[in-house]
Amino acid sequence: MSTPSPLRIAVQKKGRLLDESIQLLKECGIKIDNGRDQLKAAARNFPIEVLYLRNSDIPQYIQDGVADIGIIGENTIIEKKKEVEVVKKLGFSKCRLSLATPKDMPYNGVKDLDGKRIATSYPVSLQLFLDRNNIKADIHEISGSVEIAPNIGLADAICDLVSTGSTLFKNGLEEQDIVLKSEAVIAASPKMDDERRAILDRLLFRVNAVLEARNKKYLLMNVPTNKVKAVTALLPGMRSPTVLPLAEDGWSSVHTVIEEGRFWEIIDELRANGAEGILIVPIDKMIL
């Protein structure tokens, strides 16, 4: 039997998105022999080959079929206008593309940008936003250090990626309107053959298992048997909570899977119904 052709996956050469992409693959049980200076690395235990590319080039490589899939920000796909298919949103590397103005500039809404100069590294996304809002502005496309444009007189406002907003604050700017929200996604090539698409399906199965587990916790507690019905009514579960009798008469052990934030909403009610010995356990994978 011939060895299947590996699924070629493009990732960013460096930065936070690279680190989170490789971490995801590791959590999927995929072992990659790579050094940071390599441009290509094969997995030891799964039929994929990782290509380390410039972030802005990845959509083109996917569209052309040089890479079968890529882990990339949604904003880059929109900006590059390439024909790729988003097959999975990953929930990390979240950011937003926002409009920002100097703090001393009056701003009552996007209409105030009509006729203004806006500096950005994302002219396509910005133009789409302006067109939707019937705004005519002069877009200055620059690469890097967009936030200094108003201070040096190049522009009246900027449109740039924001995560925490600290860079805007340091440069005397205030975030005003969100142009688009972005997160990391898996994007696929329209030229992928059936053999590689089957490998992608196997990879997505693992990715889904990892992502399902990330915000979930396994919850165990001891509950008086006469309170089990009241406690289980409070609890979500994949199907329903598991209830097991304890060695001590009159007590049961209740198990379920819960979103971590949801637990803090109901902890007082659980305790009020006699729950004790409550344990929260991390989940590595979830197969639904």
Side-chain angles (χ1 to χ4, degrees):
M1 182 181 294
S2 61
T3 303
S5 301
L7 183 75
R8 298 160 300 189
I9 174 171
V11 299
Q12 186 173 294
K13 287 176 67 175
K14 58 183 179 179
R16 184 173 61 125
L17 183 53
L18 168 63
D19 295 337
E20 292 180 307
S21 300
I22 296 301
Q23 179 62 33
L24 175 63
L25 294 177
K26 287 181 178 178
E27 290 181 38
C28 289
I30 298 171
K31 298 178 180 178
I32 302 165
D33 294 317
N34 71 302
R36 287 303 174 89
D37 294 330
Q38 286 182 263
L39 297 179
K40 183 171 69 172
R44 279 184 278 151
N45 59 345
F46 195 82
I48 68 168
E49 188 174 67
V50 180
L51 309 177
Y52 299 89
L53 304 172
R54 281 200 321 173
N55 188 60
S56 59
D57 292 338
I58 291 177
Q60 184 71 61
Y61 280 101
I62 298 173
Q63 177 179 279
D64 293 345
V66 175
D68 301 303
I69 65 172
I71 299 179
I72 189 169
E74 287 178 285
N75 60 292
T76 304
I77 294 174
I78 294 169
E79 188 63 29
K80 295 300 179 181
K81 297 191 297 185
K82 302 302 178 183
E83 294 181 9
V84 302
E85 176 192 1
V86 174
V87 296
K88 182 66 181 178
K89 293 190 176 187
L90 298 174
F92 58 77
S93 289
K94 290 186 176 182
C95 62
R96 56 195 181 274
L97 184 65
S98 293
L99 289 161
T101 60
K103 290 182 178 179
D104 59 358
M105 173 181 163
Y107 189 88
N108 298 302
V110 68
K111 295 295 183 183
D112 287 349
L113 295 175
D114 203 46
K116 295 291 196 296
R117 301 164 300 162
I118 307 174
T120 187
S121 299
Y122 300 91
V124 172
S125 302
L126 174 57
Q127 189 63 65
L128 289 171
F129 177 82
L130 295 176
D131 290 345
R132 286 197 303 270
N133 288 278
N134 297 314
I135 303 297
K136 295 189 180 298
D138 185 9
I139 297 176
H140 287 256
E141 182 180 357
I142 58 178
S143 57
S145 301
V146 174
E147 64 276 359
I148 69 169
N151 290 331
I152 63 175
L154 179 64
D156 303 299
I158 70 165
C159 178
D160 202 13
L161 290 179
V162 178
S163 53
T164 65
S166 60
T167 301
L168 296 179
F169 179 80
K170 290 175 184 177
N171 287 274
L173 300 172
E174 185 174 358
E175 185 177 4
Q176 302 293 3
D177 284 288
I178 296 175
V179 172
L180 62 87
K181 293 183 178 180
S182 177
E183 64 184 90
V185 301
I186 295 178
S189 171
K191 297 185 178 181
M192 196 185 334
D193 59 30
D194 291 342
E195 185 178 51
R196 288 192 172 99
R197 190 164 286 278
I199 299 172
L200 172 58
D201 289 341
R202 290 170 55 196
L203 176 62
L204 289 174
F205 177 82
R206 296 190 184 196
V207 168
N208 288 332
V210 170
L211 296 182
E212 281 292 336
R214 282 191 173 176
N215 296 318
K216 303 281 196 312
K217 294 290 184 288
Y218 194 72
L219 174 63
L220 307 87
M221 71 192 82
N222 296 329
V223 178
T225 301
N226 63 356
K227 294 287 188 178
V228 166
K229 186 174 182 180
V231 166
T232 55
L234 298 169
L235 299 173
M238 289 182 289
R239 188 175 299 273
S240 66
T242 300
V243 180
L244 301 171
L246 292 181
E248 182 179 347
D249 288 341
W251 284 86
S252 297
S253 178
V254 177
H255 301 212
T256 193
V257 173
I258 190 170
E259 289 188 13
E260 188 170 20
R262 176 81 176 114
F263 168 75
W264 295 112
E265 293 176 8
I266 63 173
I267 178 61
D268 291 335
E269 292 177 86
L270 294 175
R271 295 176 64 197
N273 281 281
E276 60 181 51
I278 300 171
L279 298 179
I280 299 292
V281 182
I283 300 173
D284 190 39
K285 309 287 186 295
M286 279 186 63
I287 311 300
L288 300 179

